Structure formats: C-alpha cells, structure tokens
Amino acid sequence: MPDFRFGSRHRCHPNRILTLLLLALAGTTGAARSQDSSVDLTSIGIEAVMNMEVTSVSKKPETLRDSPAAVYVITSEDIRRSGATSLPDLLRLVPGVQVARVNSSTWAVGVRGFTSSLSRSLLVLIDGRSVYSPLFAGVYWDAQDTLFNDIERIEVIRGPGATLWGANAVNGVINIITKSAQATQGAYASLRLGNEDRLVATGRFGSKTSGNVAFRTFAKFSDRDAQFHADGDDYDGWHMALAGFRLDADPQNQDHLSFQGSAYSGSAGARSTITTYTSPYLRIDEEDTDLWGADLLGQWKHRLGGNSETTLQLYYDRTHRSQSAFQEDRDTFDVDFRHLIQVGSRHDLLWGAGYRITSGDTESVPTIQFSPPDRTDDVWSAFVQDEIRLVPSRWTLTIGSKFEHNDYNGFDCQPNIRLLFSPGPRHVLWSAISRALRIPSRVESDLSITALLEPTTPTFIRVVGTKDFEPERLVAYEAGYRVEAAKRLFLDFAVFYNDYDQLLSLEPGTPFTETSPPPNHTVIPIFFRNKMTAKAGGAELAYEWQPLDVWRLSGSYSYLRLNAVSAADSGDTTTAGSIEGSSPRHMAGLRSALDLPRSFSLDMTLRYVGSLPRQRVEGYTEMDVMFSRRLTHGIEVSLAGQNLLSRHHAEFAGGATEIERSFLGRFVRRW
C-alpha cells in the first residue's frame, strides 16, 4: 500500500497531492465527458420524491412511496448543495438523526436517542459492506470516507433493520450507495480551500475498455485543522488520503458484475489519559492515531426473468488503528447470497444466507487488556421475507425474520411484520413491529481497563468484561404517513415506541488489594451486566415544499422522550442518566435551495439542537450558507460558510473541544 500518511502537525505536501490527482486522472486519453454534471431544481418535481428509488428497506428496488419504514434519502443533489465535507455532517440533513461533532475527527451519532461517540446500535454500510466494528460495537467515522461526487444517494432507515441486515441494525441503518462506473464517465476534479477544511482535493477519471467494461479511478486528499480548545492546545488535526477504483460490466443481458476497491491512510491527532501502576499513576499523551486500511468488494447480479433475480456479494476488509495506548489490526471476510422469487402474482419472496469471519489482533498498555489479545469470530446467518400484495396497489403485508448464530451468544432470530396501505395514489400509511439485537462486542466480553481513582492510597477502578454478557434487545413499534398533499408539497410523518431490555449496565463489585504489579494498590471492580431497561417514544416530521420552480424548502422536526431505568438489584447509578442526558428532546432543521438567474444558486441551512445536560451542552442554533455559480466548460465555483452564528460552540462533551465557524471555497471542473 502506498504510504500517504502525514503527521498532524505537518503541513500538507503539494507533491503528494499532485500525485494522488494524477493517479486518478491517469489514462485520460479519450475525449470522454463527465456524465454526472449537476442538475437544477426546475428538473426535479415534488412528485419525484414519492417515486425516489429505495433499496435498503426490502433489499430490492422500490419507491419511497412503497417503503413500509421511516426512511429518508439524501440525494446526490442534496450532497452537492449541502457544503458538507464529511459523511457525518451529511447525516445532519436527516430528521431524527443527531450528529454532534466531538473534535476534528470524531463525531457522536445517534438515531432516536442513544447518541454516543461509538454510534452504538447503528449499522453503517457502504455499497452493502458493513463498516461496523465488532471490537467496540460502533463505527470509526474518521476512517470512513469516499468521494462525495461518486455517491448516488444515502438511505437512512430510522428504526430497526435487523430482519434483512442482521444484528446491530437496532436503532437505524445508514446505507451509502455509490454510482456505477457507467454513470461516472469522463473526468472530474474538485479543490476546496478553507480555514478549517484547509484543503480537500479530489480527482476522478472514468472510461470504458474495448470490451465495454466501464471503470473509474479516483483519489482524495484532505487536510483539516484542529477545532477550538480553550487552552490553545490544538492537537486534533486530521489528515486522510484515499484512492480506489470501480469496474462495472454487463457481459450478458441478464447479468451485471461490479468490482471495486479502495485504500486509505492518514492520521488523527488525539489526547489520551493513560493510567500506570507506578507514581504519578497518570500521564497525558498527545499523539497522532495512525489509520490505514483497504477493502475489495465484488457483486454479481443475475436476472432470472420477471422480477426474480439472484445476487452474490463478497468483500474483504483490512483495518489498522494505532494510538498511544492501544493498537488493533483486523481482517474481515464476508459472503452474502440472496434470491428474489416472484411467486404467482401476489408474492415477492426474498431469502438469503451469509457468512462472516472477522479476526482482530490487539496490543495495548498494561492497564488496557483484551483477554485473549487475538480473537477470531464467525457469524452464520439466513433470512426469509415475503412481501404479499393482499389487495394489489392498496394493501401490502411484509413478514420475515433473520436467523443468526454468533460466537458470543449462539442462535438468535430477529423477526418483523410490516403493513402498508395506500388509500389513494398520493397517500400511504404504514406500520411495523420489529425485534432487533445488538450482540456483545469484545469490549463487553474481553476487555479489562483500569483507571486511577485516588493517587494517595493508591486506588483504581477496573471495568471488566464478562463472557455472560447477553445481547441488548429491542422491540419497536412504528407507524407512518406519507402524502403528496399538493402538487408542490410532500409530507412524511412517523411515530415510534421502542422497548429496550437487557441494556448494558455497570455493576460495582467488592474492592480488593492487588500486589502485582507493585506497589500494593486497591482495585474497585466494575462489571458489565445487562441490568438496564429503557423506553423511548417520539415523532418525526419532514416536508418538501416547492413554492416556485426554482426554489425548494425542506424542513424537519423530531421529538424524543427517553426513559432509562436500572433493575432493582443494580448498583449502577450513572448509566441511566447518561443515556437520557446525551440525546436532545427537540431537533429541527430548515433548508432553502434557490436557483438564481445567470446560473447562480444560494443554499441555506438552519438547524436547532436541544440541550444535552449530561454532556454539558446547551441547546444551540447554527446556520450554513453556500453561494455557487455554474460556468461554461463544466466549471462550478462556490463559497460556503458553516456554523455562522457563533465563533465556536460545543456539540458534545462540553468544555473539552468546541466546533469553530468555518469558511471555504470550492472549484469543480467536469470534462
């Protein structure tokens, strides 16, 4: 793998950036013209929203109108006009999804509550490849990147998706779907310069071989400044480089093959508090976290006639993460097969099976230990789901279940039943009952982490994983209503009630004296257990309104009420408050997209996030603005300002790091 790493305190190297762009544009010998140029609002009607394609709800193409779930689609046009420069920032567009930036490279993301920097109980996929880490049951957002211009859409399911996607799709599924190589022919280059996103450079070239195989190559480099620190210690700069390719071919009319891969490398500045067993027992390390990885993904779709088809998908993923106190190397191989069969005129039967093996090797300081340090786990799975048109075009019933066996807790099933009713061509009501599980991670099963409590005695707290940790369980009840209320107005409303059981709790044990390593010290053990329950309820409203052909307004409001309770025999006095106080009760957003004469456009986003008492964050309102113009010869220029209403503000873990106001300029050329 080429070494693209940069130290966070190093300035970006122009020659390396140029090399990346040249790699992406290598082979530009034909007179190809980019096919993914931007569109204007006059070409997109409100009726297109109801007919937008969605695949994540049923693992087959269907319209948003026919999707019996709370799903939101971020289109490529939304992405282009958002001004966002990271994947988590794009998710701020989705109602019911909380995104809080912790520092330059870390985000806390939650769907319908349970917001944490681990993004726990949330399944994130890129073209069907899971980026969920089984080490700590979460997502490393600083390692997830792709060219925004290559993203076709991002589908976000609020609520469980475990029946089709498996364990850990508890509170939501985020599926990032990139464009085929056929749709990205020609060349594309983009350069962003700003005070926070100091440099984001991307390049891509796509063409076809003589055998009609479409391909693209791409590269991206980003150099981001540290966020605001009251002590002036700007340690959290973030730098990433990414390169990759994609091939698409249709060797026969009924077959489609795709093969893609990418590799990334970078560093993210981090501050770590490391406990030792010798005086002074603590040290503060500020050191870059080294990140690199690579992945390969292949997919074969074979149409069998009618609506029937088979899909075979394989991927391999390699990740490396090294920080001052801990290092992990992980390899994952996954194979997935599914078969869609049209049975008669009223049944779409979908079934499939999969296997995943993942192996992680860890190294760490003495106060952070995984036992065993190296572990390999596999997951066997199968699912079946039947979509039954009870009354064609009016009543549709979907029923199915996932069956999985994993090495932590053995066999489990995750069923759901969904009902969709269309009283008229512009109205859809849906409801669902689902069961989903978050299976234990290595943290809850194998981790022992020790932290200093009191230095004079000395006394330590030790959090200890347990092999008896059970999956966290959810039974979710949902209902929704979508309506094209008028020719220029679309409304989407959803309500939910989530009943959680066996949630993680921290249970104190009996203190003891430990003589090794010396000196003698007292240890207060804390054990992971399942002695917490929670109820969450709420509502989400989203709308699209196009008052003029050239002006579109979209907005959202979400309400959440979350109540977590410890079991009667639990000694945990902190976790319930942390769950309740880390997710906002109210969130709202308003976006305006306006096309102006002479190919100018003006985009504005206003968002409100309620207070997070446990994170010491007050409610805040922020605004982003972007002013763009499309010129001839495929050129587009933009100026954007983000977080304009305050010089800096806290979004999570208040007091440590605050997010700064930023400005950037963007130059894009397609040819």
Side-chain angles (χ1 to χ4, degrees):
M1 175 188 301
D3 184 2
F4 299 141
R5 283 174 285 181
F6 294 76
S8 68
R9 293 170 180 79
H10 296 176
R11 293 188 180 277
C12 46
H13 198 303
N15 290 337
R16 294 191 179 189
I17 300 168
L18 181 61
T19 301
L20 289 172
L21 294 176
L22 291 175
L23 280 171
L25 298 175
T28 310
T29 56
R33 179 173 177 78
S34 178
Q35 296 181 344
D36 60 343
S37 56
S38 58
V39 297
D40 56 45
L41 293 178
T42 58
S43 65
I44 308 172
I46 285 295
E47 69 278 5
V49 177
M50 286 283 267
N51 294 320
M52 199 176 295
E53 182 176 292
V54 173
T55 57
S56 301
V57 176
S58 302
K59 272 195 173 179
K60 66 183 183 67
E62 61 187 357
T63 64
L64 177 64
R65 181 183 184 280
D66 295 330
S67 300
V71 60
Y72 188 90
V73 180
I74 302 173
T75 67
S76 59
E77 185 65 1
D78 293 331
I79 295 170
R80 185 185 73 85
R81 303 187 72 138
S82 70
T85 59
S86 68
L87 288 173
D89 282 337
L90 284 175
L91 300 177
R92 296 182 193 270
L93 304 177
V94 184
V97 175
Q98 186 203 357
V99 177
R101 195 166 187 171
V102 180
N103 58 36
S104 179
S105 61
T106 306
W107 284 262
V109 180
V111 178
R112 294 178 172 176
F114 293 87
T115 303
S116 75
S117 57
L118 303 179
S119 301
R120 205 174 67 180
S121 305
L122 190 62
L123 187 66
V124 180
L125 307 135
I126 300 177
D127 287 327
R129 175 177 60 87
S130 172
V131 297
Y132 185 91
S133 168
L135 177 71
F136 67 98
V139 177
Y140 291 122
W141 287 107
D142 54 7
Q144 313 309 326
D145 202 1
T146 188
L147 267 67
F148 281 11
N149 198 61
D150 287 354
I151 298 176
E152 181 175 299
R153 63 185 184 276
I154 300 175
E155 300 178 1
V156 180
I157 300 174
R158 307 184 304 276
T163 297
L164 294 179
W165 297 105
N168 309 317
V170 179
N171 292 332
V173 178
I174 297 171
N175 194 5
I176 300 161
I177 300 166
T178 64
K179 299 171 184 174
S180 71
Q182 287 102 334
T184 52
Q185 298 291 285
Y188 170 89
S190 169
L191 182 67
R192 297 182 189 223
L193 298 171
N195 62 327
E196 293 300 320
D197 294 294
R198 291 188 294 202
L199 187 151
V200 181
T202 59
R204 186 196 71 209
F205 174 71
S207 187
K208 289 184 178 179
T209 67
S210 57
N212 210 30
V213 176
F215 70 88
R216 70 166 175 259
T217 60
F218 60 87
K220 178 178 181 180
F221 172 80
S222 58
D223 172 37
R224 289 163 169 113
D225 196 11
Q227 294 295 323
F228 173 80
H229 303 269
D231 59 5
D233 187 4
D234 297 333
Y235 63 87
D236 57 330
W238 178 34
H239 318 276
M240 290 293 292
L242 168 76
F245 69 93
R246 174 162 174 161
L247 308 172
D248 284 275
D250 299 292
Q252 300 181 47
N253 289 335
Q254 67 269 33
D255 292 307
H256 178 80
L257 298 171
S258 69
F259 184 60
Q260 60 183 296
S262 66
Y264 66 87
S265 180
S267 62
R271 176 189 287 169
S272 303
T273 301
I274 300 174
T275 298
T276 64
Y277 289 115
T278 56
S279 180
Y281 306 109
L282 280 180
R283 74 170 193 267
I284 305 296
D285 276 4
E286 290 184 2
E287 187 174 294
D288 291 342
T289 297
D290 289 328
L291 316 164
W292 61 261
D295 60 84
L296 292 170
L297 174 98
Q299 191 178 77
W300 172 33
K301 288 186 177 180
H302 179 68
R303 289 182 288 276
L304 300 171
N307 291 330
S308 300
E309 66 174 25
T310 60
T311 303
L312 177 64
Q313 176 178 288
L314 302 96
Y315 72 77
Y316 166 75
D317 191 279
R318 166 80 172 176
T319 62
H320 169 84
R321 188 178 194 89
S322 176
Q323 51 198 70
S324 56
F326 173 76
Q327 173 179 314
E328 189 206 28
D329 291 279
R330 177 165 294 277
D331 296 277
T332 300
F333 176 76
D334 184 283
V335 57
D336 181 80
F337 173 80
R338 57 183 180 268
H339 186 191
L340 174 63
I341 314 167
Q342 187 172 15
V343 182
S345 61
R346 297 196 175 190
H347 293 262
D348 281 349
L349 181 67
L350 180 67
W351 70 274
Y355 173 72
R356 178 179 304 162
I357 182 168
T358 181
S359 179
D361 302 337
T362 64
E363 295 180 14
S364 55
V365 297
T367 51
I368 301 175
Q369 292 291 313
F370 280 91
S371 179
D374 307 333
R375 176 166 174 164
T376 299
D377 297 294
D378 54 14
V379 179
W380 298 87
S381 66
F383 74 92
V384 60
Q385 178 164 287
D386 192 8
E387 182 180 296
I388 309 165
R389 290 176 284 278
L390 300 174
V391 179
S393 302
R394 292 186 71 85
W395 289 93
T396 301
L397 175 69
T398 303
I399 185 168
S401 182
K402 186 89 170 185
F403 307 94
E404 279 189 343
H405 183 278
N406 65 78
D407 290 342
Y408 289 97
N409 60 287
F411 176 81
D412 271 306
C413 65
Q414 299 175 88
N416 83 168
I417 180 168
R418 297 178 183 271
L419 184 64
L420 185 139
F421 173 52
S422 302
R426 294 184 173 184
H427 302 260
V428 172
L429 295 101
W430 62 270
S431 61
I433 303 174
S434 313
R435 181 177 188 265
L437 305 172
R438 184 183 73 82
I439 64 174
S441 67
R442 289 209 65 193
V443 166
E444 289 121 353
S445 175
D446 303 333
L447 177 66
S448 170
I449 182 168
T450 304
L452 179 66
L453 180 64
E454 206 285 315
T456 57
T457 356
T459 303
F460 297 86
I461 288 178
R462 179 172 296 159
V463 179
V464 183
T466 171
K467 307 297 182 189
D468 298 328
F469 193 82
E470 295 290 327
E472 295 183 330
R473 300 188 302 200
L474 164 67
V475 177
Y477 307 85
E478 303 173 89
Y481 175 55
R482 295 189 188 98
V483 57
E484 190 179 334
K487 184 179 179 182
R488 294 178 179 272
L489 179 63
F490 169 76
L491 299 173
D492 191 346
F493 180 68
V495 294
F496 65 94
Y497 176 77
N498 290 348
D499 187 357
Y500 297 89
D501 192 18
Q502 295 190 166
L503 295 180
L504 180 148
S505 64
L506 300 172
E507 304 299 332
T510 303
F512 61 92
T513 299
E514 194 170 62
T515 58
S516 178
N520 292 355
H521 49 269
T522 302
V523 175
I524 302 174
I526 306 288
F527 298 99
F528 287 123
R529 292 286 188 267
N530 298 93
K531 295 186 177 182
M532 187 77 59
T533 61
K535 316 286 185 190
E540 298 143 354
L541 172 66
Y543 72 85
E544 298 260 354
W545 179 38
Q546 193 166 9
L548 301 171
D549 286 345
V550 296
W551 187 23
R552 177 171 296 198
L553 293 170
S554 53
S556 64
Y557 168 75
S558 61
Y559 172 80
L560 172 70
R561 191 171 187 87
L562 183 55
N563 182 33
V565 179
S566 300
D569 61 343
S570 172
D572 189 340
T573 59
T574 60
T575 303
S578 179
I579 292 174
E580 295 173 359
S582 297
S583 298
R585 179 162 294 186
H586 304 277
M587 289 193 295
L590 174 65
R591 285 191 292 147
S592 168
L594 177 64
D595 282 347
L596 299 169
R598 303 176 64 84
S599 299
F600 284 98
S601 63
L602 177 63
D603 296 272
M604 302 177 64
T605 301
L606 195 67
R607 60 180 183 278
Y608 168 77
V609 180
S611 63
L612 309 176
R614 189 49 68 101
Q615 299 297 326
R616 305 183 304 282
V617 172
E618 301 290 332
Y620 63 89
T621 303
E622 274 301 345
M623 182 172 70
D624 302 336
V625 176
M626 188 167 76
F627 190 62
S628 306
R629 188 182 186 192
R630 284 169 288 171
L631 305 172
T632 57
H633 305 294
I635 295 174
E636 181 179 345
V637 292
S638 308
L639 292 174
Q642 296 176 323
N643 301 313
L644 294 176
L645 300 186
S646 60
R647 186 178 176 188
H648 48 78
H649 68 282
E651 296 189 355
F652 211 74
T657 305
E658 297 195 350
I659 309 308
E660 294 185 285
R661 177 189 296 151
S662 65
F663 300 93
L664 62 88
R666 182 179 67 174
F667 173 86
V668 173
R669 172 82 196 282
R670 298 177 176 85
W671 69 99

